[in-house]
Amino acid sequence: MLGIILLGPPGAGKGTQAKKIAVEFSIPQISTGDMLREAVKNGTEMGKKAKAFMDAGGLVPDEVVIGIVKDRLQAADCAKGFILDGFPRTIPQAEALDRVTKDLKKEVRTVLSLEVDEKELMERLCGRRTCTGCGAMYHVTFNRPKADGKCDKCGTSLIQRDDDKEDTIKARLVNYKKMTEPLLQYYKGTGKIRTVMATGDIGAIYANIAKLLR
Ligand code: ADP
Ligand code: AMP
């Protein structure tokens, strides 16, 4: 069972690296952010509840995200493993995950902590562009698409996320420090945490991650 948690501040490259891990190891990327954005887009009850928190750069209430992850982990494609991207983000979420994995007889094997200088995070998030078709991630300077504004993989238009605006990013970084950073301490005691320097070439960072996982 290859259960992986990707920890790190907004912009650390969790989504970018999760997609690469998913391809090589044939396990699904479970991004609570992606699932919440989909719920907002579809106007579901959960989406309506989550939207105001997301727009403000805050965290969606624990019970909402815990429910999403609990359901998702029961899907057939999680039989061999899973990559949690953006979850857990609070101590109560981590405690709930411990209970859920135990109940489902699943296991988190490795917690990858992606480390990036705080200065660089703002630059990365301001320039992030996402494909509305396949979810591929780009950056206007660091990871440019071949044709401006179009996805290399599927040709669909790229968009800037609503919460990738300077003021919202600042709020997200403050919330990360306050609510999510304590998870590093939480997982230190488990012996499962591996630190990855996540600055520099995306392929080189992935090579280090893959080595740790193999
Ligand atoms: P997260 O999922 O942790 O919020 P993303 O994977 O969405 O982070 O990456 C944030 C932005 O930074 C994206 O625009 C992405 O293309 C870019 N990025 C990811 N990894 C790197 C890297 N090693 N160097 C420079 N930019 C990167
Ligand atoms: P992300 O795509 O991971 O950057 O998440 C985007 C937004 O979704 C966050 O700023 C939060 O508002 C919300 N969100 C995603 N995951 C969680 C989580 N585990 N707990 C609470 N809120 C979350």
Side-chain angles (χ1 to χ4, degrees):
M1 164 69 44
L2 186 53
I4 301 166
I5 294 175
L6 286 178
L7 267 188
K14 299 183 295 297
T16 302
Q17 298 296 336
K19 286 184 172 56
K20 291 180 177 293
I21 300 170
V23 170
E24 179 173 345
F25 294 89
S26 300
I27 49 176
Q29 171 192 10
I30 301 179
S31 159
T32 41
D34 284 350
M35 289 190 278
L36 289 166
R37 277 185 292 279
E38 189 63 21
V40 171
K41 195 172 90 191
N42 295 333
T44 65
E45 275 313 305
M46 186 177 70
K48 285 181 198 154
K49 242 192 251 173
K51 188 174 186 311
F53 297 101
M54 296 171 78
D55 286 347
L59 291 183
V60 172
D62 287 336
E63 64 273 17
V64 176
V65 275
I66 290 167
I68 306 180
V69 172
K70 188 174 178 187
D71 289 348
R72 183 64 186 84
L73 283 175
Q74 295 178 59
D77 64 346
C78 295
K80 282 195 334 191
F82 51 84
I83 309 158
L84 289 170
D85 160 10
F87 181 94
R89 257 175 157 103
T90 64
I91 298 279
Q93 289 180 22
E95 290 169 346
L97 180 66
D98 287 344
R99 288 193 296 273
V100 167
T101 47
K102 193 164 174 229
D103 287 352
L104 298 176
K105 302 198 168 29
K106 293 188 185 293
E107 189 204 357
V108 171
R109 190 197 289 176
T110 306
V111 180
L112 293 172
S113 166
L114 304 190
E115 294 202 346
V116 177
D117 246 26
E118 205 167 319
K119 274 202 313 268
E120 190 170 327
L121 296 174
M122 178 59 81
E123 229 178 326
R124 284 191 184 186
L125 292 169
C126 284
R128 170 160 62 184
R129 297 293 181 272
T130 314
C131 173
T132 48
C134 69
M137 215 82 76
Y138 296 90
H139 189 280
V140 291
T141 316
F142 305 136
N143 184 21
R144 294 174 61 91
K146 290 193 183 87
D148 271 350
K150 290 268 181 275
C151 179
D152 293 352
K153 298 190 174 92
C154 71
T156 310
S157 298
L158 305 182
I159 55 145
Q160 181 171 29
R161 268 170 48 175
D162 288 342
D163 60 350
D164 280 345
K165 307 276 153 62
E166 198 171 330
D167 283 349
T168 320
I169 295 170
K170 279 187 186 148
R172 285 157 63 205
L173 292 173
V174 167
N175 281 319
Y176 170 77
K177 278 232 169 287
K178 197 163 118 198
M179 310 294 288
T180 310
E181 215 170 51
L183 289 180
L184 293 174
Q185 206 52 43
Y186 181 89
Y187 284 115
K188 233 173 215 157
T190 67
K192 295 179 178 179
I193 201 157
R194 299 286 177 274
T195 301
V196 178
M197 289 304 157
T199 311
D201 182 68
I202 290 173
I205 296 165
Y206 178 68
N208 281 334
I209 289 177
K211 222 186 309 171
L212 284 173
L213 296 177
R214 275 188 207 117

